[in-house]
Amino acid sequence: MVEPGDREVAGQRLGIPESLGVSTLEPGQRPPTTPPGRQVSIRVQLLDDVTEVFNISQRAPAKALFDLVCVHLNLAERDYFGLHGIGDLIMVRPKNTILRFVVKFFPPDHTQLLEELTRYLFALQIKHDLACGRLTCNDTSAALLVSHIVQSEIGDFDEVQSFQHLLHNKYMPNQDALMDKITEYHHKHVGQTPAESDYQLLEIARRLEMYGVRLHPAKDREGTKLSLAVSHIGLLVFQGHTKINAFNWSKVRKLSFKRKRFLIKLRPDLNSAYQDTLEFVMASRDCCKIFWKICVEYHAFFRLFEEPKPKAKAVLFTRGSSFRFSGRTQKQVFDYVKDSEFQKVPFERKTNSLTPFALIRLTWCLRVLMLCWTFSPSFFQKCPTDKAYFIAKELLTTERTFQKDLAVITVWFQAVLGKEDILPDSVRTLINTNYDPVYQLHQAFLKEVEQRLQQWEGRSNAHIKGDYQRVGDVMLKNIQGLKQLTSLLQRHGEVLVELERSCRASQRLQELCREFEQQKVCYLSLNMFLLRPLHRLLHYKLILERLCKHYPPTHQDFRDSRAALADISEMVLQLQGTMMKMENIQKLLELKKDLTGIQDLAIPGREFIRLGCLSKLSGKGLQQRMFFLFSDSLVYTSRGMTADNQFKVHGQLPLYGMTIRESEDEWGVPHSFTLFGQRQSVVVAASCVSEMVKWMEDIRMAVVLVEQSNRPSTDLLSTSRSDRKSPEEGGVEAESEEELSASRSSLERQSAQRGNTTVHVCWHRNTSVSMVDFSVAVENQLSGNLLRKFKNSNGWQKLWVVFTNFSLFFYKSHQDDYPLASLPLLGYSLTVPAETENIQKDYVFKLHFKSHVYYFRSESQYTFQRSVPLATSVLSSVVWCCLVVLSSVVLLCSVVWCCLQ
């Protein structure tokens, strides 16, 4: 408890010698005497999360309490700070109130902070803002910030200590996904003192857009939801966490508020498109007044040379608020600290360290665990080595992922849309009737497989009976149950069509479905999850084929496995037509979301063939375009500036009557070819020879098919654009500089799900995929544990990895509902690490694209034995890369268990 004049405990928390402290009082001055009256205890939470209790008169002003806190901290540059949650006077009932000591003014340059203690307190504030998600930034900046915090707290990098420290301290919301990157940066800070770490932390933070930003919700005159903020430069306007406008103090003539309306009056500017007065509506008058006061204080602190003089009080009448900034300006604080000759007292930093004994025990345990993770063969003598075991393990891990995918439709989707009761009864009935029984069947099947694997690994007493090292009997029972649900599986296509029809009829339902796709649990497009039960049949077929190929005819499990394979092959053949039709409809509906300026894409008879990046030759030279090949038309687009990152359609080339020829010699452009249509000709260039060959073959095949059907192409371009010009007039090629700059934005800057669709990945990786590639990919989806390492990091991070839709999705464990991050694989190459890379581990493969390098460790040689036939059986280089990665994603659950025995 801290009281005025209590010199014995002032600053004791930070290890400061006995001293009154300097606060912001002039040399020789003591804290002001407080008014007489009943003493109350006020709790204040400091920036290191320690709560101190200060005794003060109930009648004392808030400034008296703030001075006590500053004296307690021996803080000289106190004017940058404030108490959050306090009014003009100490509360009448402060018993259950905790005030927070926070940074109030964020300077543009941390070198303006002269005291190490001040920089330390600012670093603690940045740490708080990062942890609560207020200071948003990209992963690289976030990892770098955390690495400096860790360096400040525990010192130089030690693999075990750093891992343990990050395990017990959360510095940011998605820290687990960035563990390797954090340790990679931490390793580079060797020899850096805590003070230097604070300095570097502030140097990075001050460059971030959200540095020191405190958002205040508001709306503009049109009702658009925005947020207002204030900084040293002026007023800021945000939409979400994106700054959309800024008004410098030099352009602001007056700030005022009237009830809930916050008014910004600008200085006259002939070159500005803004009105003289801007108006924003806030939640209440109190919210408006609070923000206005903050603006007044920020303006005075950063813009004025000295504290403004108080305004003379009116004799009879008052108008408006009498609030004025009281305190020293930034310049006054800087001059005072610079010119003062008070003694700088040392302080002790708070650390999150454990007791030496606990740290030694934890370190020892972690070292043992890390030795287990080196995959020494001696640790896995208990693990089954039969190939059938690894096949069964693959069945288990993929079944876990499949059940979660089913839950997206049967549980999550209906729960989210059920809140507004907007899902039509027809759709809800179709889902309940045709998906719920399948979901319940697979829940029971998953439990049986988990129990069987526990017996196989020796984790159950049932292995004494000796009838546990097989899985064919369990699969046969499940597939026989699935055969009884064949009629339901055939109707899954109706759910897809009915949901799309309902979305066209209800704008609100369409918006809710789009919002649901932005949820983390919906890591793929919604329609993809509707196809999962049919795709799972293909997975069962492939697993049983490998199992039957492995077993000799005399094996006890061969008969059940062969019977299950016969049943599942019959089901796949029976449902093949439904599956192909649904896949095509799903792909057309997904592409419809990625395109703007197009109509009636998903019509009967139209099939998707290929999408990808080509460069189109025009009067401006080669321009990157996204091409979409359908069974009747070829459409080309460019990246637009829509909220959903859609591609803007520029033109359509009907396939009927089209001819094609190579044009490299004619135009001097590598890998180029010309498309001769009935109305226009287009010259395009691919990124490489293989891409050119694939495009030319698919286009020629589509032309032959459309001419055999003798059906003319349907106009895909939207008729709502009345200003559209004909191709001859060049209207389809018109684009703005904003669109051109958008086309150059990086994949990492995309928003949520729509930014990582296959279309966007192909755009940024300059490649293409076909419908055949999609069909092959869905047959080969895998899940399991892998250890991942970045190029310059030392440690390996264990992750649950799901391969699907040409991407790797990373989870902390298989029990998580949504992935932490994803890695689109299109364009990546897969190799084995060279000796020079110093990866002294077994079963490691390397993924790399340009400067991006990832290493993954799998469980056994079985994964590599699988990859060879898969790679040689696939013609597409894109699918080859994905399938090799896929076949390397095998399961480590039993390995970890064996390590811990």
Side-chain angles (χ1 to χ4, degrees), residues 293-557:
K293 284 185 175 182
I294 295 173
C295 293
V296 170
E297 291 181 323
Y298 251 85
H299 177 268
F301 184 77
F302 286 108
R303 296 281 290 180
L304 301 184
F305 287 160
E306 58 184 19
E307 178 182 355
K309 296 179 180 180
K311 186 178 180 181
K313 294 184 179 180
V315 178
L316 296 177
F317 303 102
T318 61
R319 182 179 180 183
S321 174
S322 61
F323 174 77
R324 293 295 182 270
F325 172 73
S326 61
R328 291 183 297 202
T329 65
Q330 185 188 31
K331 184 179 185 304
Q332 288 177 311
V333 175
F334 185 85
D335 293 340
Y336 166 72
V337 178
K338 183 179 179 181
D339 297 338
S340 298
E341 298 181 356
F342 54 80
Q343 182 181 2
K344 297 182 180 180
V345 292
F347 65 93
E348 180 180 339
R349 296 165 178 268
K350 178 188 176 184
T351 61
N352 296 322
S353 58
L354 301 172
T355 64
F357 177 73
L359 183 59
I360 291 173
R361 289 192 59 182
L362 273 174
T363 302
W364 183 84
C365 292
L366 285 168
R367 290 192 184 278
V368 172
L369 185 59
M370 292 180 69
L371 284 174
C372 294
W373 283 359
T374 59
F375 292 94
S376 173
S378 61
F379 279 98
F380 302 108
Q381 293 177 353
K382 293 184 180 180
C383 288
T385 57
D386 185 10
K387 181 178 178 180
Y389 164 78
F390 292 104
I391 297 175
K393 198 67 174 176
E394 179 183 325
L395 171 66
L396 170 63
T397 55
T398 53
E399 191 68 18
R400 284 172 173 166
T401 299
F402 172 61
Q403 182 177 327
K404 286 187 176 297
D405 288 349
L406 275 180
V408 173
I409 297 297
T410 58
V411 179
W412 293 93
F413 179 66
Q414 296 201 72
V416 172
L417 270 69
K419 294 179 180 179
E420 294 194 19
D421 196 24
I422 198 172
L423 191 65
D425 292 337
S426 58
V427 178
R428 182 178 286 106
T429 301
L430 282 171
I431 292 177
N432 293 338
T433 303
N434 299 293
Y435 281 87
D436 285 358
V438 178
Y439 180 58
Q440 295 167 7
L441 177 79
H442 283 282
Q443 280 184 311
F445 176 56
L446 177 59
K447 291 180 181 178
E448 288 190 60
V449 176
E450 287 177 333
Q451 182 180 4
R452 178 58 56 89
L453 265 293
Q454 289 176 358
Q455 297 168 351
W456 203 324
E457 295 165 352
R459 290 185 284 161
S460 170
N461 292 330
H463 70 279
I464 299 175
K465 300 178 181 179
D467 190 23
Y468 60 91
Q469 291 186 346
R470 59 175 183 166
V471 75
D473 57 333
V474 180
M475 292 196 70
L476 177 61
K477 177 184 175 182
N478 176 66
I479 291 171
Q480 288 176 342
L482 273 177
K483 287 188 68 175
Q484 301 176 11
L485 303 179
T486 302
S487 59
L488 302 184
L489 295 172
Q490 287 176 330
R491 298 194 64 189
H492 283 188
E494 297 179 24
V495 181
L496 183 66
V497 175
E498 183 63 20
L499 179 60
E500 173 62 15
R501 186 195 65 79
S502 300
C503 286
R504 288 200 306 265
S506 171
Q507 181 68 25
R508 181 55 184 159
L509 177 61
Q510 186 176 353
E511 292 173 358
L512 287 176
C513 289
R514 190 183 299 114
E515 292 175 4
F516 179 75
E517 286 192 322
Q518 301 299 322
Q519 301 293 319
K520 293 180 179 180
V521 71
C522 191
Y523 64 97
L524 301 171
S525 66
L526 177 60
N527 292 335
M528 283 285 289
F529 291 102
L530 294 172
L531 294 174
R532 281 299 196 240
L534 293 176
H535 290 160
R536 190 58 178 157
L537 303 180
L538 300 175
H539 305 159
Y540 289 154
K541 184 173 181 289
L542 291 174
I543 288 174
L544 287 167
E545 286 174 349
R546 290 201 306 277
L547 202 59
C548 291
K549 185 178 181 180
H550 168 69
Y551 283 143
T554 56
H555 195 279
Q556 61 176 348
D557 201 30

Side-chain angles (χ1 to χ4, degrees), residues 845-876:
F845 60 92
K846 171 184 174 183
L847 282 171
H848 53 96
F849 174 77
K850 295 183 178 180
S851 61
H852 302 280
V853 178
Y854 301 88
Y855 299 96
F856 293 91
R857 289 166 58 190
S858 54
E859 173 188 16
S860 69
Q861 192 175 0
Y862 163 79
T863 59
F864 293 92
Q865 292 174 343
R866 270 198 67 195
S867 67
V868 174
L870 283 172
T872 55
S873 64
V874 180
L875 297 178
S876 170

Side-chain angles (χ1 to χ4, degrees), residues 527-594:
N527 292 335
M528 283 285 289
F529 291 102
L530 294 172
L531 294 174
R532 281 299 196 240
L534 293 176
H535 290 160
R536 190 58 178 157
L537 303 180
L538 300 175
H539 305 159
Y540 289 154
K541 184 173 181 289
L542 291 174
I543 288 174
L544 287 167
E545 286 174 349
R546 290 201 306 277
L547 202 59
C548 291
K549 185 178 181 180
H550 168 69
Y551 283 143
T554 56
H555 195 279
Q556 61 176 348
D557 201 30
F558 178 79
R559 179 180 296 179
D560 289 337
S561 299
R562 186 174 59 178
L565 177 59
D567 287 342
I568 198 66
S569 298
E570 180 183 349
M571 289 186 67
V572 169
L573 185 63
Q574 186 176 357
L575 295 168
Q576 188 70 38
T578 300
M579 193 181 310
M580 294 177 63
K581 181 180 178 181
M582 282 187 65
E583 286 178 350
N584 184 66
I585 294 176
Q586 184 273 327
K587 186 53 59 180
L588 292 175
L589 294 177
E590 184 180 352
L591 292 179
K592 179 182 176 183
K593 300 175 185 177
D594 285 317

